[in-house]
Amino acid sequence: MGPFVPDLISDQLNLVVALLLGIAFGFVLEQAGFSSSRRLAGVFYGYDFTVLRVFFTAAVTAMSGVLILGHYGMLDTDIIYVNPTWLVPGIVGGMIMGIGFIIGGYCPGTSVCAAAIGKVDAMFFVGGGLLGVFAFGELFPLYQNFYTSTALGPIKVFDSLGMSQGLFAFLLMAVAVVAFVATTKIEKRVNKGSAPSLQFKPLKHAAAGTFAVALGVIFIFMPDHKTSLIEKVTDPAYAATHPVDTMEVDELAYRIVDHEPNIRIIDIRSPKEYDALALPGSYNVQRSDFFGKDWVATFSQRHLKKVVVGDDEAQEQTAYYLLHELGYENLAILRGGIGSFKHTILDSGTFVPTGSRWDSDVKDFRESARVTILKMIADAKNKPVKTIIKRKIQGGC
Amino acid sequence: MNTSNFQNSGKYMNPYLAGFLLGLVLLATIFITGRGLGASGAIKDTTIAISHAVAPKLTESNPFFGQYVGAGKDNPLKSWLVFEIAGVLIGGFISGLVSDRLKIVTESGPRVKPRARWAFAAIGGLLFGIGAQFTRGCTSGAALSGMAVLSTAGFIALLSIFGTGYLVAYLGRKLWI
């Protein structure tokens, strides 16, 4: 499962990867014609819409890939870098860059690419860029507060617009295709005789456009990996064909008292409920954290029995199925949920005789387990809590 | 010094194919490294490295540059984006070589002389250098890579860069047409 940084690829090797990906990036930029400032500026004057075609196609392709890989669980979209938003500084910076684009005819990436093939104006652009960063840093105290204002974090555009991810993806692809058609018409009108689009083969382009829109339609109905897995395991038909392993309250109590090393109690309740009552040695893991890599080391040890503890058996069962679908084995749920455990073991005087000849043994066991476990809980409260720091990949410019 | 012939579009790759390939490169970057492509970050790192080599104390005490240099911090040049941009130089050069476009030229609009073009290019670069700090990225790192992961920041960068470009295009028309 991607990304491969930092588990499979170390920080050092990542720099080699950066160089290789950069070579591919530079090669494609130059082949696309992004090493020409007149061509880049053409997008603003209607005589050449190459920039828009390349840029929009690239954005839509990469976005589609991220959505598809995320849907099949091949890319952990929770830890990849999502550019955080600083709303007002972001807009102001973009406006400054927009003016810079008209005056300079390049953006930073394309200027480097153009300088590589000998464009002298691009070399001046790169030099200007260095000066610009220097000027920004020297004058930084003037706008330090503005620079960090309106920080909204790594928000997603479909959330900002209040629509689903799939619908946004479809709309973006539809807008791209409409823009391609419209700009080709404009280009041929503005630049009669030598518009780059005169060389296009209409049939092939129409087919590609249709394909893009069709893919967009699929996105509307394609939930992400998590949503589809949760839907699958909450389907009653799934439960009917998938039995679960259940651990009785007394057995769990016995194992806790016994300091049994081969069980792991996975408490899936909210952190607030967990703080109120945490079983000794248990881990509080939210269902949404099952999908990431943080808990793989704990969950994937087959010799450990993972006992799922929740508010009730239904909640436990969904979590059990989810873990099962994610490939983890040796699982169990706690009979009756945490409430049953609390009532049977931790509350005194709740023993109801069943008429069995073991009644007095069971009663004695629960009495001693109650004392021991309550003491263990009290002791654990004085110790620092075991937590796993959630990982996030650093990125950005 | 001659001005290059602009009408050589036939030699370039079909823009949609190029865009598709560029998208695959970006997707591979996200899939392998968990982050996107960029450019302005490398220019920032280079600036800070130069500044630090010339005036280490002043650079470290600057509230902006100081975040990137000083005790316990790697040389700013040892950054992902600097290596990536070094790759862009190599990749661009290889592409120019195979497509026979390696040539020392100044490219400009029909009414602009080379020296004026240099000045305008430098001013454009300067503005990008400043603007990319506020936006935390440029057309590559903020707009393109940001759009691929559907970040709000990416779409804001796209709209404000190109929107402003169209707004002021009329004023700059003599530079290009």
Side-chain angles (χ1 to χ4, degrees):
Chain A
M1 183 167 87
F4 300 145
V5 174
D7 295 327
L8 288 173
I9 295 179
S10 68
D11 285 351
Q12 302 288 330
L13 182 59
N14 199 10
L15 295 179
V16 180
V17 171
L19 185 76
L20 296 175
L21 289 166
I23 291 174
F25 184 31
F27 186 87
V28 178
L29 281 182
E30 210 290 320
Q31 284 294 314
F34 277 23
S35 53
S36 159
S37 55
R38 283 207 69 196
R39 178 169 282 257
L40 291 166
V43 73
F44 296 110
Y45 298 99
Y47 60 80
D48 188 329
F49 281 100
T50 302
V51 174
L52 178 126
R53 294 184 184 113
V54 176
F55 191 90
F56 238 143
T57 309
V60 162
T61 303
M63 174 201 73
S64 301
V66 170
L67 292 182
I68 292 168
L69 292 174
H71 172 72
Y72 289 106
M74 290 157 74
L75 175 67
D76 186 351
T77 50
D78 278 349
I79 68 166
I80 62 174
Y81 180 76
V82 175
N83 312 47
T85 299
W86 282 268
L87 187 61
V88 182
I91 294 171
V92 169
M95 291 168 73
I96 297 172
M97 288 190 273
I99 298 169
F101 215 148
I102 294 293
I103 297 176
Y106 291 109
C107 58
T110 52
S111 70
V112 172
C113 178
I117 64 159
K119 295 278 168 74
V120 181
D121 46 330
M123 298 172 195
F124 276 91
F125 187 97
V126 174
L130 296 170
L131 281 178
V133 178
F134 186 73
F136 177 87
E138 288 302 308
L139 300 175
F140 188 62
L142 290 179
Y143 35 70
Q144 191 162 7
N145 291 331
F146 172 70
Y147 176 73
T148 49
S149 65
T150 51
L152 303 176
I155 50 172
K156 299 282 194 103
V157 64
F158 50 88
D159 289 330
S160 303
L161 297 173
M163 60 175 78
S164 76
Q165 174 179 287
L167 180 61
F168 181 84
F170 164 73
L171 290 176
L172 184 69
M173 293 170 90
V175 166
V177 171
V178 170
F180 293 155
V181 174
T183 52
T184 298
K185 293 213 158 110
I186 295 171
E187 187 181 271
K188 283 180 181 163
R189 192 168 299 170
V190 171
N191 201 1
K192 295 182 183 75
S194 64
S197 46
L198 287 172
Q199 298 175 0
F200 291 170
K201 296 190 175 74
L203 261 181
K204 274 190 186 172
H205 285 75
T210 312
F211 173 76
V213 174
L215 186 62
V217 173
I218 293 174
F219 285 147
I220 300 181
F221 301 104
M222 190 178 85
D224 62 76
H225 181 54
K226 284 181 188 177
T227 317
S228 59
L229 260 192
I230 290 172
E231 269 172 17
K232 179 177 177 185
V233 300
T234 45
D235 183 2
Y238 182 94
T241 53
H242 290 77
V244 289
D245 243 350
T246 308
M247 186 178 277
E248 299 298 330
V249 167
D250 285 318
E251 183 183 348
L252 182 64
Y254 179 80
R255 288 175 179 240
I256 291 173
V257 171
D258 201 32
H259 291 281
E260 155 82 61
N262 288 334
I263 66 161
R264 289 288 178 276
I265 302 170
I266 310 299
D267 195 325
I268 55 166
R269 295 171 304 148
S270 69
K272 205 177 154 197
E273 290 172 293
Y274 181 75
D275 283 344
L277 173 64
L279 295 179
S282 62
Y283 296 88
N284 188 214
V285 189
Q286 305 305 301
R287 195 172 72 179
S288 56
D289 293 335
F290 289 177
F291 301 89
K293 288 181 182 170
D294 293 341
W295 292 95
V296 170
T298 310
F299 290 167
S300 58
Q301 300 185 60
R302 265 185 249 173
H303 67 284
L304 300 178
K305 186 147 207 113
K306 276 75 66 179
V307 186
V308 179
V309 174
D311 289 321
D312 52 51
E313 279 189 31
Q315 188 198 27
E316 292 174 350
Q317 198 171 330
T318 310
Y320 178 101
Y321 288 145
L322 219 44
L323 289 170
H324 174 73
E325 283 295 322
L326 290 167
Y328 300 117
E329 297 170 27
N330 201 1
L331 307 161
I333 65 169
L334 175 65
R335 173 83 72 201
I338 187 92
S340 170
F341 187 90
K342 183 172 179 296
H343 177 80
T344 313
I345 307 289
L346 301 182
D347 298 343
S348 64
T350 56
F351 182 73
V352 183
T354 56
S356 135
R357 63 191 176 110
W358 307 110
D359 269 0
S360 66
D361 291 338
V362 172
K363 188 162 185 277
D364 289 348
F365 164 73
R366 288 184 186 168
E367 272 304 314
S368 73
R370 181 175 72 85
V371 175
T372 315
I373 294 175
L374 284 177
K375 184 170 183 312
M376 287 166 85
I377 292 173
D379 288 348
K381 281 207 169 146
N382 301 322
K383 286 185 199 155
V385 189
K386 282 177 276 188
T387 48
I388 288 187
I389 298 156
K390 283 198 190 168
R391 298 181 311 174
K392 200 86 185 163
I393 291 174
Q394 294 301 307
C397 281
Chain B
M1 203 60 59
N2 57 352
T3 314
S4 80
N5 175 20
F6 174 63
Q7 306 298 354
N8 54 0
S9 54
K11 291 192 287 182
Y12 289 117
M13 192 185 276
N14 176 298
Y16 299 110
L17 177 61
F20 180 68
L21 293 178
L22 180 57
L24 290 185
V25 173
L26 177 55
L27 179 62
T29 307
I30 296 170
F31 183 68
I32 297 170
T33 70
R35 51 159 303 148
L37 296 164
S40 62
I43 294 180
K44 178 181 77 183
D45 292 330
T46 309
T47 309
I48 296 170
I50 294 171
S51 170
H52 194 237
V54 175
K57 289 261 158 58
L58 273 176
T59 308
E60 281 169 31
S61 63
N62 176 294
F64 183 65
F65 298 146
Q67 304 170 61
Y68 304 97
V69 283
K73 294 202 176 82
D74 277 336
N75 186 320
L77 290 180
K78 201 187 152 194
S79 82
W80 199 91
L81 285 168
V82 170
F83 278 73
E84 180 235 60
I85 280 296
V88 170
L89 268 174
I90 299 169
F93 182 82
I94 295 171
S95 168
L97 192 68
V98 299
S99 296
D100 199 19
R101 281 193 287 264
L102 295 182
K103 200 175 177 189
I104 303 286
V105 287
T106 296
E107 193 186 22
S108 61
R111 314 186 212 196
V112 182
K113 297 241 157 43
R115 278 176 196 283
R117 170 70 190 127
W118 295 348
F120 284 123
I123 294 168
L126 184 101
L127 291 173
F128 255 101
I130 295 168
Q133 306 317 312
F134 284 114
T135 310
R136 276 80 168 174
C138 57
T139 337
S140 320
L144 182 61
S145 300
M147 286 167 73
V149 294
L150 294 175
S151 75
T152 304
F155 286 87
I156 288 174
L158 172 83
L159 293 175
S160 60
I161 294 173
F162 285 95
T164 307
Y166 279 105
L167 281 179
V168 300
Y170 183 77
L171 300 173
R173 66 194 181 283
K174 289 189 176 162
L175 296 174
W176 302 107
I177 52 178

